[in-house]
Amino acid sequence: MPFILRKIRKARWHGNDVLDWLLPDEIQADSLLDLSTKDNQLSIYIVEDDRSNLERIIAALAGNCDFISNVDYALVPAEVLSESGIEVADVKGETSDEQVNEAHRDLIHLSASKLLVLAKAISIRGERTRLTTKKVRKMIGRSIANGYIDKARLKLPANEISKLKLPQQSDGTTADHGNRINKGTSDREIGRDPEANQPGGSEE
Amino acid sequence: MQIIESKTRVRFVIPDHNISYEERLSIAAVAQIVRTGHAAYHAQPWITWSSKGQAEELLKSFSGGKPLLTTIQFSNQEITIFNTRFSLGPVIFFSDKTRILEEDLNTLRQSLENASEHDLVEVRFTPNTDHPIDARYFDWLSPAERLALNELLRTKSDLADLNENSVKQQFITLSELAKDEIFEDGVESNFVKGLGHIVKGAGAQSLATLFGLIECENRNDEIIAETLLWLGRLNDPSTHQERLHFLEKSLEHRSSRVRDAAATALSSMDDPKSAFALQQAIERELNPDLREDMRQVLAELESVH
């Protein structure tokens, strides 16, 4: 079962264990800030059921920012969309990784009640994960080294790109998209076991 | 020499050898200083080392090519006569019609382009050689002149107060505007851009005003969190300790959102010194999710060598 991925801010999803005014099973209204729609549409990415493209999506999203920061994201089983009657449109993404762009979708014709169903799914059934800045930086570096990210299309400013630690090759040079490494390495890094498939977990 | 001895109460041993022409000129100049508090020096180009912000202001002020009045103040000037060193006290120099020459402006522009926020930048001033540099020695001025000069300096101090109030007002206005803004990780918000402008304009000391505002006023938690995240990313070694301390304190904030931002900001600062504060925050934290994120930061900080 594939997943849908949406970038969030985890703190907006804290529940009534820390917010004493919030009733059990309710979500704070600020959660909806992470689901703000435009033209009743919401941008998401499809993560393969084995999560093999998860790290790549996160690296591409982070590379599309003004600066490198932590990335908080929510993963929800994609069946939520069919269960709640949410329509999906294939719309290419605009990151610097073409394959990630293919995994982009727009959720369309969203009503407020459908959005609330999605919010509740994220709150109750969703996995909400944080990757620290250091981990994200390494992921972008790996995506560049593996030739997934087109460095020239990164939105990050030059001073942020200079902070990336690109993996060293055996000849001592730095790998980037000009020196493609076999794409199979990505499978090795993120693993096949969903439990061991947390992005960033294999880098230290 | 009698004037100098009576005014300064310093006793000099007159040497056996002949007194040179330069020594006589120097003695005459010091005698005039202790008698009137005034001195005039031949104008020559000089160099100062300024912070990047100050250098940018200087570039802006002098770019028009118009000569400007420039002042330089020293807390003390010492002088030696006949091997006896003594103090003339604080002094301020007024250089009328000073310029930064076109070639020096170009060098300055280049230096600013390459400078990081905490670098000192060399600025070369060229005074008008037809106009001597006027000096005023506070300890030797007439009471009326000293009063006038102190008044001038008091105005400067009032300006500092005015500056603090201005920072407060700008932060409050910025926070009001930011209530309609949706913040996103990795995206520079208008609020953060505004914070950058405030600190750039008012100097690093304005951070203390921001800390005070966050601590004392009941502001929007989302805006406090955004401010903390920005504080963690600031690349300014001169304020590192203050920011670190403030973020560590913010780990005790009543709002889980602010505590979360404080831990994330400490991760950006990447200083293992905050490991202890984080460890304590983890022990206090009731939210298991936030506790786990804090542990992640702690593990990274503990791996920093």
Side-chain angles (χ1 to χ4, degrees), chain B residues 25-246:
Chain B
L25 281 182
S26 176
I27 292 164
V30 173
Q32 191 194 329
I33 289 168
V34 295
R35 199 163 48 82
T36 64
H38 291 197
Y41 295 98
H42 176 64
Q44 283 187 320
W46 76 91
I47 285 169
T48 65
W49 290 89
S50 305
S51 68
K52 194 181 177 195
Q54 287 170 331
E56 281 168 341
E57 286 302 313
L58 287 168
L59 180 64
K60 217 184 289 172
S61 305
F62 282 89
S63 278
K66 209 173 140 190
L68 301 170
L69 170 70
T70 312
T71 62
I72 314 164
Q73 199 175 340
F74 295 97
S75 58
N76 188 29
Q77 186 181 334
E78 289 193 329
I79 196 148
T80 303
I81 295 179
F82 302 141
N83 294 323
T84 302
R85 195 171 179 82
F86 66 101
S87 167
L88 287 174
V91 58
I92 186 164
F93 295 95
F94 295 89
S95 173
D96 196 12
K97 298 190 176 175
T98 304
R99 294 170 196 270
I100 300 180
L101 300 180
E102 195 52 48
E103 68 238 40
D104 296 324
L105 284 171
N106 289 337
T107 309
L108 180 55
R109 277 187 202 103
Q110 220 162 7
S111 304
L112 282 170
E113 269 175 24
N114 299 326
S116 60
E117 283 309 308
H118 56 276
D119 282 342
L120 291 176
V121 179
E122 183 184 298
V123 187
R124 189 174 193 269
F125 297 88
T126 303
N128 184 338
T129 47
D130 295 334
H131 289 72
I133 291 180
D134 272 321
R136 295 288 181 275
Y137 292 82
F138 291 74
D139 291 354
W140 312 107
L141 288 170
S142 69
E145 274 196 270
R146 196 186 307 159
L147 197 68
L149 203 52
N150 283 335
E151 192 65 25
L152 182 74
L153 294 176
R154 198 177 64 76
T155 313
K156 271 190 170 178
S157 146
D158 288 348
L159 280 174
D161 287 345
L162 196 68
N163 194 30
E164 190 181 331
N165 285 331
S166 158
V167 168
K168 273 185 189 170
Q169 198 47 54
Q170 285 180 72
F171 182 73
I172 290 165
T173 309
L174 203 58
S175 304
E176 285 301 316
L177 292 171
K179 280 181 180 168
D180 294 328
E181 198 171 3
I182 299 173
F183 301 127
E184 193 184 332
D185 293 323
V187 178
E188 195 166 74
S189 59
N190 288 331
F191 173 67
V192 156
K193 283 180 195 161
L195 283 178
H197 284 304
I198 292 176
V199 173
K200 198 174 175 187
Q205 69 275 17
S206 57
L207 283 182
T209 310
L210 288 189
F211 295 161
L213 279 168
I214 292 170
E215 273 178 340
C216 302
E217 310 224 2
N218 187 19
R219 309 227 151 259
N220 179 314
D221 290 343
E222 181 88 345
I223 288 170
I224 296 175
E226 190 69 5
T227 308
L228 298 191
L229 292 171
W230 170 75
L231 284 172
R233 289 196 306 273
L234 265 187
N235 181 19
D236 177 13
S238 71
T239 58
H240 181 93
Q241 280 312 318
E242 289 85 351
R243 287 183 287 127
L244 197 74
H245 179 65
F246 185 73

Side-chain angles (χ1 to χ4, degrees), chain A residues 24-92:
Chain A
D25 301 329
E26 277 204 324
I27 55 172
Q28 49 171 313
D30 278 1
S31 303
L32 297 178
L33 292 175
D34 286 331
L35 304 176
S36 65
T37 55
K38 251 187 198 163
D39 198 19
N40 301 311
Q41 296 179 11
L42 188 73
S43 168
I44 54 124
Y45 286 83
I46 299 291
V47 175
E48 304 290 345
D49 48 7
D50 61 358
R51 306 181 189 210
S52 54
N53 61 343
L54 177 55
E55 173 172 329
R56 207 165 153 174
I57 290 173
I58 288 161
L61 285 174
N64 227 22
C65 288
D66 298 329
F67 56 89
I68 301 171
S69 76
N70 60 293
V71 171
D72 292 0
Y73 64 92
L75 279 185
V76 188
E79 63 191 4
V80 166
L81 301 179
S82 51
E83 283 170 8
S84 51
I86 294 176
E87 294 175 55
V88 184
D90 281 4
V91 178
K92 255 183 95 173

Side-chain angles (χ1 to χ4, degrees), chain B residues 241-258:
Chain B
Q241 280 312 318
E242 289 85 351
R243 287 183 287 127
L244 197 74
H245 179 65
F246 185 73
L247 292 172
E248 286 175 357
K249 245 172 91 181
S250 301
L251 290 170
E252 297 170 27
H253 200 275
R254 56 169 175 74
S255 158
S256 61
R257 197 175 297 192
V258 174

Side-chain angles (χ1 to χ4, degrees), chain A residues 7-15 17-19 28 30-31 33-34 36 64-72 128-135 155 203-204, chain B residues 181-189 193 222 225-226 229 233 254 256-257 259-260 263-264 267-268 270 285-290 293 296-297 300-301 303-304:
Chain A
K7 209 175 146 197
I8 59 167
R9 267 197 173 180
K10 276 182 79 184
R12 290 179 182 145
W13 297 84
H14 289 164
D17 51 344
V18 283
L19 302 175
Q28 49 171 313
D30 278 1
S31 303
L33 292 175
D34 286 331
S36 65
N64 227 22
C65 288
D66 298 329
F67 56 89
I68 301 171
S69 76
N70 60 293
V71 171
D72 292 0
R128 297 186 299 276
T129 306
R130 166 161 304 161
L131 295 168
T132 62
T133 306
K134 269 189 184 176
K135 286 178 180 166
K155 194 184 161 195
E203 72 208 339
E204 303 298 345
Chain B
E181 198 171 3
I182 299 173
F183 301 127
E184 193 184 332
D185 293 323
V187 178
E188 195 166 74
S189 59
K193 283 180 195 161
E222 181 88 345
E226 190 69 5
L229 292 171
R233 289 196 306 273
R254 56 169 175 74
S256 61
R257 197 175 297 192
R259 295 196 297 278
D260 178 56
T264 308
S267 161
S268 302
D270 204 22
E285 187 55 59
L286 298 175
N287 179 349
D289 202 24
L290 179 50
D293 289 337
Q296 201 179 180
V297 175
E300 282 190 348
L301 291 184
S303 70
V304 174

